[in-house]
Amino acid sequence: MAETRRPRRRRPRAGEQRGAARPASPAPDPDGPVVELEVERVAHGGVFVAHHEGRVVFVSDAIPGERVSARITDRRHDRFWRAETLGVLRASPDRQDHVWAEASVERAPGNRAGGAEFGHIRMDRQRALKAEVLRDALSRMGGVETDVEVRPVDPELAPGVAPDGTGWRTRVRLQVAADGAVGPYAARSHTVVPVASVPLAVPGLAALAPLDGRFPGARAVDLVAPSVGEPAIVVVDAERMPRGPRPTIEERVGDRVFRLDRDGFWQVHRGAAATLSRAVQDLVDGDLFDPAAANLDLYGGVGLLAAAVGDRFGRAVRITTVESDAGATEHAGANLADWVGARAVTARVDRFLDDAVQGSTAAERPRWHDATVVLDPPRSGAGRQVVDRLAELRPRQLVYVACDPVALARDVGLLRERGYRLADLAAFDLFPNTHHVEAVARLTAIV
């Protein structure tokens, strides 16, 4: 039986605004002109670059090297237009049958399910395109020329995930239409489309998804499959915050179990938490790490990456995890109880760093200069204010976990201007069949 809940309201992370609405995409123009386009290269955001009569056109559902028939859906901008592929006139050898039939180019654009915008591309080419976007962003915005390979998740860390990039999502949100029907939003819109499958979901969720159900009055239906315990259907039915304790779940990473609120943040790929824990452990330079310094885990959630640092360097490691969500911080304190030097602080990251800068005496500065800082900001990145404060504290090394290549590149550029260099970079395909990519970068202070 499905459980009903009201959505929580969490304190926004740094860079987010309380009460900010999700930007609405402009309604596609169903009567826009149909043109033929030569697709040239990939762009950030899961779209591809073409030109028409000298103007840049960002077109979806294509592959570089293809010729497609496309409808121009947005002509509001002078410098570029947006388009949706209607048909493929000359296919790339990397085109495959879409892993999600309901998202295929065979469907009309307004009925294509969103959330699998690379599912028509062979897996090796998907990763090459993601690496291209990351390299290009770092070059243009970060001022860094570097090569990078987007690596698949180790199959040992993600049992059940198929080689074609299906079966990995442990959290799925189904939207609810006015008539109570459920489904994903259509690509680049807020229109709910019916589907018969959710192939990116882990098998337990795919079997549980109530795709033929009706939920009148609900806002959404959340499907959650923790690594410990049974999957659940949760009906989100109102705007008000619930009273009393929130349901919790447990997630296992290696030999450790993390407790968190069921509607709290956790990496969505079955193997993502273990992959990122291992990556952070690998990228921290042990020669630069001081276990007694004022080490930080910023935007720390329930303590996943602080625990990764503690597991590598021992129980006496001093590390403070900082998170604006009070519920997550409470769980972090319990999840990090093994480490005598660990503590969890509820605070916005920018304000915490403001206090650290203002409260540091000359005698305390060496604690910061010797520190290692791990940060895993939201999609918008850390931003100028946080980067400025970090540069003032001047930690030895930063290990930056990023889910958006453009935000990462911008912050790498800001840090370069403030005396840091990009020393190492790893990237992982934690979102197969989508355009998203996760990167972990290590930056070190230039002496």
Side-chain angles (χ1 to χ4, degrees):
M1 181 178 293
E3 179 180 341
T4 299
R5 74 166 174 86
R6 291 172 177 172
R8 65 182 296 180
R9 288 181 181 171
R10 65 174 177 83
R11 181 177 297 178
R13 291 184 174 186
E16 298 177 325
Q17 296 182 6
R18 187 183 301 276
R22 175 181 173 181
S25 300
D29 180 2
D31 300 318
V34 175
V35 299
E36 293 188 8
L37 299 173
E38 291 284 345
V39 184
E40 301 164 18
R41 57 184 176 83
V42 68
H44 178 54
V47 293
F48 301 85
V49 177
H51 283 82
H52 179 69
E53 297 180 350
R55 180 181 279 104
V56 171
V57 180
F58 294 115
V59 58
S60 61
D61 300 312
I63 306 174
E66 291 189 328
R67 185 172 181 84
V68 300
S69 170
R71 184 180 302 280
I72 304 297
T73 58
D74 183 359
R75 291 177 285 177
R76 297 176 303 151
H77 305 279
D78 292 334
R79 294 177 56 196
F80 66 89
W81 287 348
R82 295 189 182 277
E84 294 174 330
T85 295
L86 299 178
V88 181
L89 306 177
R90 185 183 67 244
S92 164
D94 294 314
R95 181 171 284 273
Q96 64 179 9
D97 290 340
H98 205 292
V99 298
W100 193 2
E102 290 92 334
S104 170
V105 74
E106 303 300 324
R107 272 196 171 195
N111 291 324
R112 291 175 198 163
E117 62 277 5
F118 273 13
H120 62 291
I121 308 172
R122 276 181 22 199
M123 190 56 60
D124 56 347
R125 185 69 187 279
Q126 287 188 34
R127 294 180 183 135
L129 291 169
K130 295 178 187 188
E132 183 179 335
V133 169
L134 181 55
R135 284 194 303 268
D136 180 66
L138 285 168
S139 175
R140 289 187 300 105
M141 302 183 67
V144 175
E145 301 294 335
T146 186
D147 198 11
V148 63
E149 176 188 3
V150 176
R151 310 175 199 171
V153 174
D154 185 335
E156 293 184 2
L157 302 180
V161 177
D164 67 352
T166 58
W168 56 269
R169 287 194 70 100
T170 61
R171 274 91 172 141
V172 173
R173 167 156 285 197
L174 298 173
Q175 308 296 334
V176 179
D179 63 356
V182 299
Y185 282 138
R188 297 166 293 281
S189 85
H190 288 171
T191 301
V192 178
V193 296
V195 295
S197 64
V198 281
L200 301 193
V202 296
L205 283 190
L208 194 66
L211 300 177
D212 294 328
R214 287 291 186 273
F215 298 85
R219 290 180 55 241
V221 176
D222 287 342
L223 311 177
V224 183
S227 55
V228 178
E230 297 300 317
I233 301 175
V234 183
V235 180
V236 183
D237 72 346
E239 292 285 352
R240 295 172 54 194
M241 188 172 72
R243 298 179 180 274
R246 298 186 177 94
T248 60
I249 57 173
E250 292 181 335
E251 295 282 1
R252 182 178 298 279
V253 181
D255 295 330
R256 295 206 167 275
V257 173
F258 294 83
R259 182 174 292 275
L260 64 148
D261 290 349
R262 186 181 57 195
D263 57 355
F265 173 78
W266 188 255
Q267 293 289 338
V268 70
H269 189 292
R270 172 65 81 203
T275 298
L276 293 177
S277 294
R278 181 183 293 179
V280 167
Q281 290 173 335
D282 290 345
L283 261 69
V284 171
D285 187 335
D287 293 336
L288 298 179
F289 187 82
D290 181 352
N295 303 300
L296 296 176
D297 170 29
L298 303 180
Y299 314 94
V302 297
L304 172 70
L305 300 182
V309 174
D311 277 339
R312 178 178 172 188
F313 293 102
R315 293 184 67 250
V317 164
R318 179 181 178 184
I319 190 165
T320 299
T321 185
V322 182
E323 167 61 52
S324 64
D325 186 312
T329 307
E330 183 177 353
H331 288 305
N335 293 333
L336 298 174
D338 286 1
W339 292 274
V340 295
R343 69 183 183 117
V345 173
T346 301
R348 279 180 44 154
V349 167
D350 53 353
R351 293 175 182 171
F352 176 88
L353 294 176
D354 283 345
D355 292 343
V357 169
Q358 295 167 9
S360 294
T361 65
E364 291 174 320
R365 284 299 171 118
R367 294 189 303 115
W368 295 111
H369 295 338
D370 294 338
T372 292
V373 175
V374 177
L375 62 160
D376 182 9
R379 188 170 303 281
S380 55
R384 183 178 298 274
Q385 183 176 355
V386 168
V387 167
D388 283 344
R389 294 298 177 264
L390 286 172
E392 289 184 68
L393 294 174
R394 197 72 179 169
R396 284 182 180 176
Q397 60 182 331
L398 305 169
V399 179
Y400 189 132
V401 180
C403 60
D404 185 275
V406 168
L408 171 65
R410 178 203 65 210
D411 289 345
V412 166
L414 291 172
L415 286 161
R416 286 184 68 248
E417 293 171 358
R418 289 153 181 78
Y420 281 82
R421 69 177 184 91
L422 181 64
D424 208 345
L425 178 68
F428 302 94
D429 194 13
L430 301 188
F431 309 93
N433 293 306
T434 80
H435 74 277
H436 298 291
V437 62
E438 196 90 7
V440 185
R442 178 168 59 87
L443 296 105
T444 56
I446 300 172
V447 179

